[in-house]
Amino acid sequence: MKLNYKIIFHFLGLLLLFNGGFMLVSTLISYVYKDGVTFPLFLAGISTLLLGVSLMYATRDHKKIMDKREGYVVVTFGWLIMALSGCLPYVFTGAIPDFTSAFLETMSGYTTTGATILNDIEIIPKGVLFWRSMTHWIGGMGIIVLAIAILPLLGIGGMQLFAAEAPGPNADKLHPRITDTAKRLWLIYFGYTVAETILLKVAGMNLFDAMNHAMSTLSTGGFSTKNASVAYWNDQPVIQYIIILFMFLAGTNFVLSYFAFKGKVQKILKDDEFKLYLSFIVIFTIIASTIIYFKADPTISSIAHPMVWGEAESALRHGMFQVLSVVTTTGFITADYTLWSPFLVVFFFGLMFLGGSAGSTSGGVKVVRHLILIRNGFLEFKRALHPNAILPVRYNSRAVSGDIVFNILAFFILYMLSFIVGSLVFSMFGLDFMSSIGIAASSLGNVGPAFGDFGPVNNYAALPALGKWWAAFLMLIGRLELFTVLILLTPFFWRNR
């Protein structure tokens, strides 16, 4: 059976329409702030809109049939075409004239990685900065829909487990129709963004910074309007606590937020993944804060303002902030944590492989996969003693099918192989060991800050051109759950059946 190319291009045209529309919103911001790049932004938006309209018009007679193969192509090439068109505001305004660097910045935005090639963020026009944060926000929305609605239909992704648990309209799905599910989750996503913007504004940020940081937080992206990231507000702890709260919410399954608003608190408290996610955050915060308090020198590791209030409060805040930032793959920083202690360097490197909850905007392996792997590992001991016993892995008091367990095992193995190959390729570009493994783990996990030459106080500008393309590729496969992209590289996928 041949691929239905017309419906693929029709969807790609629709995505370009959305992208162009958001570019025009950035044009409005540019006009309001009189930053001098209003016309180039407008030109980028109109060009994208026209291309989208042309594609949709040319494929208007498409057959409204889409199977799994078309789904894989639309998801992967959708992200690519969004990134390629998303480069236009950078190139047209001259903010990032080099296309390779502009593509990396854009892919980092849409995949909510947060790695940047900009050496001086604060001189970039406000309209472009707003577009930069907007790419995060668009990517975050897309990931929610992918995780909840699309990937389970393809039989992959962390939310496959959730889909398997909810076979009918009376189970834990928000609504039996995918479109209604997506609308409800987008409403929560938008509501959280508005709420954080208001709280940050009240806490002392100006409106522009508040909007940008809210979009970056809810998407677990990490782009900031300041060179020092959130460390710029080290003398305003309330701002950092607000961001901590919303990083936690963004790293939580958005379905649980829906249950919370519906008053179904028991569903949240009984959710195995949420309990483990919360436990991880608490335990890791205690470990990091204790070491910061007894070992770290706050005057050395601070990027902008030194830590204020009591030392214990500072240690707790910075420890909690960095743990959440890495676990949820947001990538904001309040200090150069590579200077805190050698133990914490290794500690935060390990956290890059954790990830937030399935159904959240965070990247990484995801907590639910670790939970299933751990439980299956313990059951192997029992199976060794009782080979004839039927011992299924349980999640939320239900038996998990063997197919899902094998899928998670395959994902984890493929993830680690991608990390190893990614590190080797970076080393071929001349990067040292720490830089290679750091940038590979960060790109694949969509974290942002890495280690070595690409640590929290540095950026990806020093990467060679081929290294930037490789980093962008790792960001893409990490964001789209590996299988979605890598299956397109197999010869049997393209064979007509």
Side-chain angles (χ1 to χ4, degrees):
M1 185 177 178
K2 291 183 179 181
L3 280 171
N4 185 354
Y5 286 104
K6 282 193 174 182
I7 197 171
I8 291 170
F9 283 105
H10 195 78
F11 267 98
L12 296 182
L14 182 62
L15 289 174
L16 286 170
L17 282 183
F18 278 111
N19 226 19
F22 282 119
M23 286 180 197
L24 294 182
V25 175
S26 301
T27 302
L28 181 62
I29 296 294
S30 174
Y31 176 77
V32 169
Y33 283 97
K34 310 291 183 188
D35 61 3
V37 295
T38 304
F39 180 72
L41 281 175
F42 176 76
L43 190 61
I46 290 297
S47 301
T48 306
L49 279 172
L50 288 175
L51 181 58
V53 169
S54 301
L55 268 178
M56 292 191 73
Y57 182 77
T59 57
R60 63 192 182 281
D61 60 341
H62 66 276
K63 293 179 181 178
K64 296 182 179 179
I65 300 172
M66 179 182 288
D67 67 8
K68 283 189 176 184
R69 289 208 301 165
E70 279 92 19
Y72 287 118
V73 175
V74 165
V75 170
T76 300
F77 282 90
W79 236 262
L80 282 173
I81 202 166
M82 292 284 276
L84 287 168
S85 61
C87 293
L88 297 182
Y90 296 122
V91 176
F92 283 15
T93 61
I96 309 177
D98 174 55
F99 180 77
T100 295
S101 296
F103 182 79
L104 177 63
E105 191 81 11
T106 313
M107 183 61 79
S108 178
Y110 283 115
T111 58
T112 70
T113 303
T116 183
I117 55 88
L118 295 172
N119 291 311
D120 191 350
I121 297 166
E122 295 172 26
I123 65 169
I124 301 297
K126 281 185 164 55
V128 178
L129 283 180
F130 190 83
W131 169 247
R132 185 168 171 262
S133 300
M134 184 70 79
T135 58
H136 270 346
W137 201 69
I138 298 167
M141 283 198 299
I143 286 303
I144 292 173
V145 176
L146 272 179
I148 303 294
I150 298 174
L151 292 183
L153 298 182
L154 302 180
I156 62 172
M159 286 308 293
Q160 183 192 3
L161 184 60
F162 179 80
E165 285 193 328
N170 295 322
D172 287 352
K173 280 186 178 178
L174 308 193
H175 197 279
R177 291 181 58 195
I178 289 173
T179 52
D180 289 327
T181 297
K183 286 176 185 176
R184 283 161 172 76
L185 295 176
W186 277 9
L187 185 61
I188 293 170
Y189 185 74
F190 179 78
Y192 277 157
T193 307
V194 172
E196 186 182 359
T197 300
I198 294 170
L199 288 173
L200 289 175
K201 178 70 173 68
V202 171
M205 270 192 189
N206 63 54
L207 181 59
F208 181 78
D209 288 339
M211 287 190 298
N212 280 271
H213 284 84
M215 287 191 289
S216 292
T217 305
L218 265 301
S219 63
T220 64
F223 280 156
S224 176
T225 55
K226 304 297 181 184
N227 292 327
S229 188
V230 182
Y232 182 88
W233 292 278
N234 273 354
D235 57 347
Q236 294 173 271
V238 175
I239 286 176
Q240 295 181 350
Y241 280 120
I242 292 169
I243 294 175
I244 284 171
L245 170 63
F246 283 95
M247 279 196 295
F248 177 80
L249 292 173
T252 306
N253 189 336
F254 272 75
V255 174
L256 298 185
S257 291
Y258 177 83
F259 290 150
F261 290 125
K262 296 288 285 185
K264 299 178 181 178
V265 181
Q266 285 300 316
K267 283 185 174 289
I268 302 171
L269 299 177
K270 291 179 180 179
D271 186 80
D272 288 349
E273 184 185 33
F274 178 76
K275 288 188 287 187
L276 186 61
Y277 170 65
L278 181 61
S279 300
F280 278 158
I281 298 301
V282 171
I283 293 168
F284 296 152
T285 296
I286 291 171
I287 292 171
S289 301
T290 302
I291 293 175
I292 293 169
Y293 183 76
F294 288 105
K295 296 285 186 180
D297 186 342
T299 60
I300 293 176
S301 58
S302 291
I303 299 171
H305 304 286
M307 302 178 188
V308 292
W309 288 18
E311 286 186 11
E313 183 280 330
S314 292
L316 176 64
R317 171 163 45 93
H318 287 270
M320 186 187 305
F321 191 101
Q322 290 309 150
V323 164
L324 270 165
S325 183
V326 176
V327 168
T328 63
T329 71
T330 304
F332 283 140
I333 55 172
T334 60
D336 185 357
Y337 51 79
T338 61
L339 298 178
W340 279 342
S341 77
F343 173 82
L344 285 181
V345 172
V346 179
F347 178 75
F348 283 120
F349 177 74
L351 292 188
M352 285 185 174
F353 294 89
L354 182 58
S357 304
S360 71
T361 57
S362 62
V365 176
K366 303 293 193 304
V367 173
V368 67
R369 288 195 179 99
H370 288 286
L371 177 62
I372 299 299
L373 286 171
I374 291 168
R375 287 184 174 175
N376 187 61
F378 278 113
L379 282 177
E380 284 301 319
F381 291 114
K382 290 185 178 180
R383 290 170 186 145
L385 292 173
H386 309 285
N388 296 321
I390 299 174
L391 301 168
V393 178
R394 293 194 172 273
Y395 175 74
N396 286 348
S397 301
R398 299 177 187 175
V400 178
S401 72
D403 288 344
I404 292 176
V405 175
F406 290 141
N407 179 281
I408 291 172
L409 285 168
F411 177 90
F412 189 78
I413 292 169
L414 194 57
Y415 192 94
M416 296 311 296
L417 282 173
S418 299
F419 162 67
I420 293 168
V421 172
S423 302
L424 287 171
V425 173
F426 279 124
S427 69
M428 289 170 61
F429 297 137
L431 274 61
D432 61 73
F433 174 75
M434 200 65 195
S435 299
S436 296
I437 64 171
I439 198 169
S442 180
S443 298
L444 190 62
N446 307 124
V447 179
F451 296 93
D453 295 334
F454 306 95
V457 296
N458 301 312
N459 57 37
Y460 286 22
L463 269 178
L466 287 176
K468 289 174 181 175
W469 287 104
W470 182 245
F473 174 72
L474 291 179
M475 290 174 191
L476 180 66
I477 65 171
R479 180 77 281 182
L480 299 184
E481 304 277 299
L482 299 182
F483 295 109
T484 316
V485 180
L486 297 181
I487 195 172
L488 268 62
L489 304 179
T490 59
F492 59 81
F493 178 85
W494 299 99
R495 290 176 191 153
N496 293 328
R497 292 171 293 172

